[in-house]
């Protein structure tokens, strides 16, 4: 049996502005992103109409695809963790050891993967599902009552639990396996070498990397869009950003621009310092602040309510996970229950699955970058279970406190009535009063800022790594500046012409082609691990030689 492929040449420029970069991937990605921004600004009505049409088509025709694709990610992760021959394999050479401590590793995973969403959706989503979910639509329980409490949590956990992190784990594991065991470039195309071999050095690999860059930009833009709205709401709460709000209580055009300039300016500076400095320290800071805020909610919020939400909700989530993962609701065109269920699933589950897929090249490559030296089992369990449980804890105590305050009447509808991004500020303000509530709002704004900066600067570095054919070197300063500005421009342009809906629509469209790439990634990974087992049995090497970058 032959040794594995350990050489995948990717053409890069050797001089000029694009020295060290694959010109085809870099320039094409820039042109696509630039065209999207110009189109959205110059022809907002046309852009909104076309994007909406594509979005409707995708949700109507590919909902089944997204649901089964996401289910496959969870199943493959479980197989890899339980498969003895796979679990013991190291993501690297035999002598490689992890670069980061477990705390920093978990901090960076959580901050880059899902941190921003915790501050918006840990309160907003349980409250939404508390009032409406499939059980309510089918008449099994009345929305907004104590009987619907656990239902709200099993659906929240579905969207932010194992499924989300399985998609990140698949992408990260595939990239780390081929980069650190085979010595291939740390870029998306390398993960498909068991299927397409050296053909990935050419146009096929170029297309795959371009699709990954576009998905990354649109997936991170979705996260930043939510974050910008919440950042402006927080600034208004602490009294220095009321002028950034409009009459409807949301971010004004000026507020969006100011927030983008602040966030992307800080993100770009952090990205210039690299993973080991700015991103590492920001991740540790936001993990510390997160623990503080979560500890406050656990001690002074609705503690017993949160404990019930955590343990009973997790139990219901786990035992119902197969059904929730595989159930596909189909409408009948009558406007009845079937259509409402289909609409709910498209607006929530399918949307989330597209979001996580779009986020996967960014988070996956970032997880690979920080996970060299860990075993497959350690990686899968660490990337799948620990962050998911952190999400469950956040949702249970933050959302549970908000629901309890509304149920017992102490909130008086103030949390229900607040915008999604403002719900956490409304809740903590009611808990603490005006003065202490202001102080907590400051802490939340700082925490939000660190999460946004961590996500954005990580995305900029990842995009440049893909564009540079997997080279992680710090030679991309002008390109870091460009992608920082470009990411901010995408978020600002889409928010200004169509609000969060425009960003969501663009993200769903951008995620579709990469979802196919991700399916091919886990197929290629399973094939590689199986063949490496056969190679070991035959005495054939399975890793690259770092001295020659060729098989031994």
């Amino acid at each position: 049996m032959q040794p594995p492929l350990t050489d995948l040449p990717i053409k890069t420029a050797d001089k000029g502005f694009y020295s060290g970069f694959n010109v085809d991937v870099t320039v094409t990605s820039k042109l696509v992103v630039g065209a999207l921004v110009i189109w959205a600004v110059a022809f907002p009505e046309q852009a909104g109409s076309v994007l909406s049409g594509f979005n409707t088509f995708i949700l109507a025709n590919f909902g089944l695809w997204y649901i089964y694709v996401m289910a496959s990610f969870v199943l493959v992760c479980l197989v890899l963790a339980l498969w003895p021959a796979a679990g013991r394999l190291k993501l690297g050479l035999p002598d490689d050891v992890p670069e980061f401590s477990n705390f920093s590793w978990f901090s960076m995973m959580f901050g880059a993967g899902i941190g921003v969403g915790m501050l918006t959706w840990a309160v907003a989503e349980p409250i939404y599902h508390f009032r409406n979910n499939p059980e309510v639509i089918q008449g099994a329980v009345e929305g907004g009552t104590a009987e619907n409490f656990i239902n709200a949590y099993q659906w929240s956990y579905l969207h932010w639990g194992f499924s989300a992190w399985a998609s990140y784990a698949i992408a990260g594991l595939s990239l780390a396996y081929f980069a650190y065991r085979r010595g291939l470039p740390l870029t998306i195309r390398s993960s498909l070498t068991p299927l397409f071999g050296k053909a990935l050095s050419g146009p096929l690999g170029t297309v795959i990397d371009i699709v990954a860059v576009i998905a990354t930009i649109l997936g991170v833009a979705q996260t930043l869009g939510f974050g910008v709205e919440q950042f402006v709401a927080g600034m208004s709460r602490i009294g220095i950003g009321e002028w950034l709000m409009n009459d409807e209580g949301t971010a004004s055009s000026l507020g969006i621009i100011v927030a983008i300039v602040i966030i992307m300016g800080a993100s770009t500076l952090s990205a210039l310092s690299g993973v080991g400095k700015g991103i590492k320290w920001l991740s540790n800071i936001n993990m510390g602040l997160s623990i503080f805020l979560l500890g406050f909610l656990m001690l002074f919020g609705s503690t017993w309510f949160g404990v019930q939400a955590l343990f009973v909700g997790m139990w219901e989530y786990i035992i119902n996970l197969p059904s929730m993962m595989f159930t596909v609701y189909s409408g009948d065109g009558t406007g009845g229950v079937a259509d409402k269920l289909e609409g709910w699933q498209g607006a929530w589950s399918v949307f989330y699955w597209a979001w996580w897929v779009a986020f996967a090249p960014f988070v996956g490559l970032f997880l690979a970058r920080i996970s060299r030296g860990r075993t497959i089992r350690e990686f899968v369990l660490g990337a799948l279970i620990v962050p998911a449980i952190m999400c469950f804890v956040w949702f249970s105590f933050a959302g549970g406190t908000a629901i309890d305050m509304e149920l017992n009447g102490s909130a008086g509808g103030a949390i229900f009535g607040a915008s999604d991004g403002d719900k956490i500020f409304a809740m903590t303000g009611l808990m603490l009063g005006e003065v202490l509530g202001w102080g907590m709002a400051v802490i939340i704004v700082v925490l939000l800022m660190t999460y946004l900066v961590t996500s954005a600067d990580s995305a900029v570095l990842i995009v440049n790594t893909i564009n540079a054919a997997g080279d992680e070197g710090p030679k991309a300063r002008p390109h870091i500046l460009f992608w920082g500005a470009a990411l901010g421009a995408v978020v600002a342009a889409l928010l200004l012409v169509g609000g969060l809906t425009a960003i969501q629509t663009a993200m769903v469209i951008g995620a579709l082609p990469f979802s196919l790439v991700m399916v091919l990634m886990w197929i290629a990974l399973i094939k590689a691990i199986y063949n490496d087992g056969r190679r070991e049995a035959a005495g054939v090497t399975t890793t690259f030689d770092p001295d020659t970058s060729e098989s031994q």
Side-chain angles (χ1 to χ4, degrees):
M1 191 171 185
Q2 295 296 317
L5 177 67
T6 58
D7 182 32
L8 185 67
I10 302 175
K11 183 180 179 180
T12 57
D14 55 9
K15 62 181 179 179
F17 182 71
Y18 288 104
S19 177
F21 285 79
N22 182 286
V23 176
D24 293 337
V25 174
T26 306
V27 173
T28 304
S29 301
K30 288 180 176 180
L31 289 175
V32 172
V33 172
L36 175 62
V37 173
I38 294 171
W39 182 42
V41 173
F43 306 100
E45 293 185 5
Q46 182 192 58
S49 176
V50 173
L51 289 174
S52 179
F54 272 115
N55 184 60
T56 300
F57 174 80
I58 290 173
L59 292 180
N61 295 278
F62 290 93
L64 180 68
W65 164 259
Y66 273 123
I67 289 168
Y68 286 147
V69 162
M70 194 62 67
S72 76
F73 297 158
V74 177
L75 294 176
V76 170
C77 282
L78 292 176
V79 168
L80 291 174
L82 297 175
W83 184 5
R88 62 180 173 78
L89 292 176
K90 183 176 286 190
L91 299 175
L93 301 176
D95 295 333
D96 285 343
V97 296
E99 178 182 359
F100 301 101
S101 68
N102 286 337
F103 181 81
S104 291
W105 187 50
F106 290 135
S107 297
M108 287 190 281
M109 280 197 302
F110 190 72
I114 238 166
V116 176
M118 289 297 93
L119 294 180
T120 301
W121 296 108
V123 177
E125 185 160 346
I127 281 183
Y128 183 91
H129 297 323
F130 177 61
R131 293 187 287 180
N132 188 46
N133 58 57
E135 283 74 23
V136 174
I137 294 172
Q138 295 175 88
V141 67
E142 183 180 351
T145 63
E147 289 74 21
N148 192 41
F149 172 54
I150 295 302
N151 293 327
Y153 272 90
Q154 69 179 33
W155 289 106
S156 297
Y157 292 167
L158 172 69
H159 297 148
W160 293 83
F162 301 143
S163 299
W165 287 95
S167 65
Y168 302 156
I170 290 294
L173 189 57
S174 298
L175 291 164
Y177 192 90
F178 294 103
Y180 302 137
R181 289 183 62 84
R182 303 282 174 85
L184 300 178
L186 186 61
T187 187
I188 305 299
R189 70 176 80 184
S190 297
S191 63
L192 302 184
T193 50
L195 302 179
F196 302 109
K198 289 192 174 182
L200 291 165
S201 292
L204 176 60
T206 299
V207 171
I208 289 170
D209 282 348
I210 291 171
V211 166
V213 170
I214 302 305
T216 297
I217 292 296
L218 295 177
V220 176
Q222 175 69 65
T223 297
L224 294 180
F226 284 127
V228 164
E229 291 281 353
Q230 189 169 32
F231 182 74
V232 173
M235 294 290 284
S236 176
R237 284 277 179 174
I238 62 179
I240 59 175
E242 294 182 1
W243 54 280
L244 302 177
M245 306 287 286
N246 56 30
D247 294 337
E248 288 75 34
T250 58
S252 65
S253 297
L254 178 60
I256 290 170
I257 294 172
V258 170
I260 288 293
V261 170
I262 294 173
I263 293 166
M264 294 313 303
S267 300
T268 303
L269 290 175
S270 177
L272 289 170
S273 70
V275 174
K277 295 180 181 178
I279 296 176
K280 174 184 175 180
W281 287 108
L282 278 172
S283 297
N284 288 342
I285 290 170
N286 62 36
M287 179 59 78
L289 289 176
S290 296
I291 292 173
F292 169 78
L293 179 57
L294 182 59
F296 164 78
L297 292 172
M298 294 175 73
L299 291 174
F300 302 106
S302 301
T303 305
W304 175 240
F305 216 72
V307 170
Q308 287 182 291
L310 178 61
F311 291 103
V312 180
M314 281 181 60
W315 171 253
E316 292 295 323
Y317 163 66
I318 291 171
I319 63 174
N320 290 303
L321 182 58
S323 173
M324 292 191 294
M325 279 200 311
F326 288 102
T327 296
V328 180
Y329 297 116
S330 299
D332 54 16
T334 64
V337 171
D339 286 337
K340 291 178 180 178
L341 287 170
E342 183 184 41
W344 185 93
Q345 190 171 54
W348 285 97
S349 298
V350 175
F351 163 73
Y352 269 123
W353 298 164
W355 190 5
W356 303 149
V357 166
F359 227 52
F362 148 55
V363 180
L365 206 153
F366 186 73
L367 293 186
R369 168 64 185 81
I370 64 175
S371 300
R372 184 170 190 162
R374 298 183 183 273
T375 66
I376 288 179
R377 181 173 294 111
E378 183 182 9
F379 179 94
V380 170
L381 295 179
L384 184 67
I385 296 177
V386 175
I389 291 176
M390 279 294 295
C391 290
F392 298 159
V393 172
W394 261 102
F395 272 71
S396 61
F397 288 97
T401 297
I403 291 175
D404 188 36
M405 291 174 69
E406 289 289 3
L407 275 176
N408 64 34
S410 62
I415 304 175
F416 281 159
S419 64
D420 291 336
D422 196 37
K423 280 183 167 60
I424 191 169
F425 296 107
M427 179 184 72
T428 54
L430 289 169
M431 292 173 63
L432 294 171
E434 184 176 349
V435 176
L436 292 179
W438 179 89
M440 183 60 75
V442 171
I443 292 174
I444 294 172
V445 168
V446 173
L447 176 57
L448 175 64
M449 182 70 177
T450 61
Y451 272 136
L452 289 169
V453 170
T454 302
S455 295
D457 62 11
S458 301
V460 169
L461 287 176
I462 292 315
V463 165
N464 276 299
T465 299
I466 297 173
N467 288 336
D471 189 346
E472 304 169 60
K475 58 180 175 47
R477 184 174 296 269
H479 302 280
I480 287 175
L481 295 172
F482 171 85
W483 283 110
L487 180 55
V490 169
V491 177
L494 292 176
L495 279 176
L496 291 173
V497 302
L500 288 172
T501 301
I503 296 183
Q504 292 170 6
T505 298
M507 180 273 298
V508 169
I509 296 170
L512 183 60
F514 192 72
S515 66
L516 175 59
V517 174
M518 285 196 64
V519 170
L520 296 176
M521 288 173 78
W522 70 251
I523 293 173
L525 180 63
I526 294 291
K527 180 180 179 181
I529 293 173
Y530 173 73
N531 284 336
D532 278 356
R534 295 175 59 203
R535 290 186 180 99
E536 286 187 349
V540 178
T541 184
T542 61
T543 60
F544 77 107
D545 184 342
D547 296 324
T548 63
S549 295
E550 295 178 355
S551 58
Q552 297 173 354

